[in-house]
mmCIF file of all heavy atoms in Angstrom:
data_model
loop_
_atom_site.group_PDB
_atom_site.id
_atom_site.type_symbol
_atom_site.label_atom_id
_atom_site.label_comp_id
_atom_site.label_asym_id
_atom_site.label_seq_id
_atom_site.Cartn_x
_atom_site.Cartn_y
_atom_site.Cartn_z
ATOM 1 N N ALA A 1 0.830 -1.206 0.000
ATOM 2 C CA ALA A 1 0.000 0.000 0.000
ATOM 3 C C ALA A 1 0.866 1.258 0.000
ATOM 4 O O ALA A 1 0.541 2.243 -0.665
ATOM 5 C CB ALA A 1 -0.937 -0.005 1.205
ATOM 6 N N LEU A 2 1.977 1.229 0.726
ATOM 7 C CA LEU A 2 2.886 2.377 0.740
ATOM 8 C C LEU A 2 3.491 2.612 -0.640
ATOM 9 O O LEU A 2 3.661 3.752 -1.068
ATOM 10 C CB LEU A 2 3.997 2.177 1.765
ATOM 11 C CG LEU A 2 3.581 2.314 3.229
ATOM 12 C CD1 LEU A 2 4.733 1.925 4.140
ATOM 13 C CD2 LEU A 2 3.130 3.738 3.524
ATOM 14 N N LEU A 3 3.803 1.542 -1.343
ATOM 15 C CA LEU A 3 4.389 1.683 -2.679
ATOM 16 C C LEU A 3 3.383 2.217 -3.693
ATOM 17 O O LEU A 3 3.767 2.857 -4.670
ATOM 18 C CB LEU A 3 4.973 0.354 -3.144
ATOM 19 C CG LEU A 3 6.227 -0.065 -2.377
ATOM 20 C CD1 LEU A 3 6.596 -1.498 -2.704
ATOM 21 C CD2 LEU A 3 7.377 0.882 -2.667
ATOM 22 N N LEU A 4 2.113 1.992 -3.452
ATOM 23 C CA LEU A 4 1.091 2.506 -4.364
ATOM 24 C C LEU A 4 1.049 4.029 -4.373
ATOM 25 O O LEU A 4 0.625 4.627 -5.354
ATOM 26 C CB LEU A 4 -0.291 1.962 -3.984
ATOM 27 C CG LEU A 4 -0.546 0.504 -4.325
ATOM 28 C CD1 LEU A 4 -1.915 0.077 -3.811
ATOM 29 C CD2 LEU A 4 -0.430 0.266 -5.815
ATOM 30 N N VAL A 5 1.502 4.668 -3.303
ATOM 31 C CA VAL A 5 1.492 6.131 -3.272
ATOM 32 C C VAL A 5 2.434 6.718 -4.314
ATOM 33 O O VAL A 5 2.236 7.846 -4.757
ATOM 34 C CB VAL A 5 1.807 6.716 -1.873
ATOM 35 C CG1 VAL A 5 0.835 6.214 -0.836
ATOM 36 C CG2 VAL A 5 3.225 6.469 -1.463
ATOM 37 N N LEU A 6 3.452 5.973 -4.718
ATOM 38 C CA LEU A 6 4.365 6.484 -5.751
ATOM 39 C C LEU A 6 3.632 6.671 -7.068
ATOM 40 O O LEU A 6 3.820 7.670 -7.759
ATOM 41 C CB LEU A 6 5.553 5.541 -5.934
ATOM 42 C CG LEU A 6 6.493 5.438 -4.751
ATOM 43 C CD1 LEU A 6 7.591 4.443 -5.048
ATOM 44 C CD2 LEU A 6 7.072 6.786 -4.389
ATOM 45 N N THR A 7 2.790 5.731 -7.413
ATOM 46 C CA THR A 7 2.009 5.826 -8.637
ATOM 47 C C THR A 7 0.973 6.938 -8.508
ATOM 48 O O THR A 7 0.823 7.763 -9.409
ATOM 49 C CB THR A 7 1.294 4.493 -8.936
ATOM 50 O OG1 THR A 7 2.274 3.470 -9.031
ATOM 51 C CG2 THR A 7 0.516 4.567 -10.235
ATOM 52 N N ALA A 8 0.296 6.996 -7.370
ATOM 53 C CA ALA A 8 -0.732 8.011 -7.146
ATOM 54 C C ALA A 8 -0.143 9.412 -7.134
ATOM 55 O O ALA A 8 -0.764 10.359 -7.600
ATOM 56 C CB ALA A 8 -1.464 7.734 -5.837
ATOM 57 N N ALA A 9 1.086 9.546 -6.618
ATOM 58 C CA ALA A 9 1.724 10.860 -6.523
ATOM 59 C C ALA A 9 2.412 11.260 -7.822
ATOM 60 O O ALA A 9 2.896 12.373 -7.939
ATOM 61 C CB ALA A 9 2.738 10.864 -5.376
ATOM 62 N N GLY A 10 2.488 10.333 -8.772
ATOM 63 C CA GLY A 10 3.148 10.647 -10.038
ATOM 64 C C GLY A 10 4.641 10.860 -9.883
ATOM 65 O O GLY A 10 5.261 11.578 -10.633
ATOM 66 N N GLU A 11 5.237 10.210 -8.903
ATOM 67 C CA GLU A 11 6.656 10.411 -8.628
ATOM 68 C C GLU A 11 7.551 10.060 -9.811
ATOM 69 O O GLU A 11 8.591 10.646 -9.989
ATOM 70 C CB GLU A 11 7.092 9.597 -7.411
ATOM 71 C CG GLU A 11 6.704 10.240 -6.116
ATOM 72 C CD GLU A 11 7.313 11.618 -5.937
ATOM 73 O OE1 GLU A 11 8.532 11.777 -6.148
ATOM 74 O OE2 GLU A 11 6.583 12.540 -5.599
ATOM 75 N N ASP A 12 7.127 9.107 -10.614
ATOM 76 C CA ASP A 12 7.975 8.693 -11.723
ATOM 77 C C ASP A 12 8.148 9.807 -12.750
ATOM 78 O O ASP A 12 9.190 9.940 -13.367
ATOM 79 C CB ASP A 12 7.400 7.456 -12.402
ATOM 80 C CG ASP A 12 7.330 6.289 -11.449
ATOM 81 O OD1 ASP A 12 8.098 6.250 -10.489
ATOM 82 O OD2 ASP A 12 6.483 5.426 -11.679
ATOM 83 N N THR A 13 7.121 10.625 -12.927
ATOM 84 C CA THR A 13 7.188 11.664 -13.940
ATOM 85 C C THR A 13 7.582 13.020 -13.375
ATOM 86 O O THR A 13 7.881 13.930 -14.126
ATOM 87 C CB THR A 13 5.827 11.799 -14.662
ATOM 88 O OG1 THR A 13 4.825 12.095 -13.684
ATOM 89 C CG2 THR A 13 5.482 10.532 -15.406
ATOM 90 N N HIS A 14 7.584 13.172 -12.058
ATOM 91 C CA HIS A 14 7.887 14.460 -11.456
ATOM 92 C C HIS A 14 9.140 14.427 -10.589
ATOM 93 O O HIS A 14 9.342 15.301 -9.766
ATOM 94 C CB HIS A 14 6.700 14.943 -10.616
ATOM 95 C CG HIS A 14 5.488 15.203 -11.443
ATOM 96 N ND1 HIS A 14 4.508 14.257 -11.610
ATOM 97 C CD2 HIS A 14 5.114 16.274 -12.177
ATOM 98 C CE1 HIS A 14 3.563 14.752 -12.389
ATOM 99 N NE2 HIS A 14 3.907 15.959 -12.752
ATOM 100 N N ALA A 15 9.973 13.437 -10.761
ATOM 101 C CA ALA A 15 11.196 13.347 -9.960
ATOM 102 C C ALA A 15 12.131 14.490 -10.330
ATOM 103 O O ALA A 15 12.224 14.878 -11.493
ATOM 104 C CB ALA A 15 11.880 12.005 -10.206
ATOM 105 N N PRO A 16 12.814 15.067 -9.330
ATOM 106 C CA PRO A 16 13.753 16.145 -9.639
ATOM 107 C C PRO A 16 14.898 15.645 -10.509
ATOM 108 O O PRO A 16 15.166 14.454 -10.583
ATOM 109 C CB PRO A 16 14.250 16.587 -8.269
ATOM 110 C CG PRO A 16 13.948 15.476 -7.346
ATOM 111 C CD PRO A 16 12.781 14.737 -7.917
ATOM 112 N N SER A 17 15.602 16.575 -11.136
ATOM 113 C CA SER A 17 16.646 16.201 -12.093
ATOM 114 C C SER A 17 17.784 15.409 -11.449
ATOM 115 O O SER A 17 18.443 14.630 -12.112
ATOM 116 C CB SER A 17 17.201 17.449 -12.765
ATOM 117 O OG SER A 17 17.747 18.316 -11.787
ATOM 118 N N HIS A 18 18.024 15.580 -10.142
ATOM 119 C CA HIS A 18 19.112 14.857 -9.495
ATOM 120 C C HIS A 18 18.707 13.440 -9.092
ATOM 121 O O HIS A 18 19.528 12.648 -8.700
ATOM 122 C CB HIS A 18 19.612 15.621 -8.262
ATOM 123 C CG HIS A 18 18.610 15.701 -7.168
ATOM 124 N ND1 HIS A 18 17.647 16.675 -7.147
ATOM 125 C CD2 HIS A 18 18.413 14.936 -6.082
ATOM 126 C CE1 HIS A 18 16.897 16.498 -6.071
ATOM 127 N NE2 HIS A 18 17.337 15.462 -5.423
ATOM 128 N N ALA A 19 17.430 13.117 -9.195
ATOM 129 C CA ALA A 19 16.959 11.782 -8.810
ATOM 130 C C ALA A 19 17.386 10.760 -9.857
ATOM 131 O O ALA A 19 17.561 11.073 -11.025
ATOM 132 C CB ALA A 19 15.439 11.772 -8.673
ATOM 133 N N MET A 20 17.521 9.526 -9.395
ATOM 134 C CA MET A 20 17.865 8.445 -10.309
ATOM 135 C C MET A 20 16.709 8.227 -11.283
ATOM 136 O O MET A 20 15.556 8.328 -10.916
ATOM 137 C CB MET A 20 18.111 7.148 -9.532
ATOM 138 C CG MET A 20 19.234 7.235 -8.529
ATOM 139 S SD MET A 20 20.838 7.480 -9.276
ATOM 140 C CE MET A 20 21.107 5.867 -9.949
ATOM 141 N N ALA A 21 17.013 7.961 -12.521
ATOM 142 C CA ALA A 21 15.987 7.760 -13.529
ATOM 143 C C ALA A 21 15.273 6.429 -13.341
ATOM 144 O O ALA A 21 14.116 6.293 -13.685
ATOM 145 C CB ALA A 21 16.601 7.832 -14.919
ATOM 146 N N LYS A 22 15.953 5.460 -12.789
ATOM 147 C CA LYS A 22 15.363 4.133 -12.606
ATOM 148 C C LYS A 22 14.439 4.119 -11.399
ATOM 149 O O LYS A 22 14.585 4.890 -10.471
ATOM 150 C CB LYS A 22 16.457 3.097 -12.406
ATOM 151 C CG LYS A 22 17.360 2.916 -13.595
ATOM 152 C CD LYS A 22 18.403 1.864 -13.301
ATOM 153 C CE LYS A 22 19.331 1.678 -14.457
ATOM 154 N NZ LYS A 22 20.375 0.694 -14.151
ATOM 155 N N GLU A 23 13.512 3.177 -11.443
ATOM 156 C CA GLU A 23 12.640 2.964 -10.285
ATOM 157 C C GLU A 23 13.481 2.462 -9.115
ATOM 158 O O GLU A 23 14.417 1.685 -9.313
ATOM 159 C CB GLU A 23 11.594 1.903 -10.625
ATOM 160 C CG GLU A 23 10.401 2.452 -11.343
ATOM 161 C CD GLU A 23 9.678 3.468 -10.501
ATOM 162 O OE1 GLU A 23 9.175 3.139 -9.418
ATOM 163 O OE2 GLU A 23 9.612 4.627 -10.936
ATOM 164 N N PRO A 24 13.141 2.882 -7.901
ATOM 165 C CA PRO A 24 13.906 2.384 -6.751
ATOM 166 C C PRO A 24 13.627 0.902 -6.512
ATOM 167 O O PRO A 24 12.527 0.419 -6.777
ATOM 168 C CB PRO A 24 13.398 3.230 -5.588
ATOM 169 C CG PRO A 24 12.069 3.730 -6.010
ATOM 170 C CD PRO A 24 12.124 3.836 -7.506
#
């Protein structure tokens, strides 16, 4: 359930430029 928040928050498309491009 905690991991589902990443999809809901759109983290994959809104990660800052210094973040790793790959999924954690």
Side-chain angles (χ1 to χ4, degrees):
L2 287 173
L3 290 169
L4 286 176
V5 302
L6 294 178
T7 302
E11 281 300 312
D12 298 335
T13 58
H14 296 95
S17 60
H18 66 275
M20 300 294 287
K22 296 180 181 178
E23 276 299 298

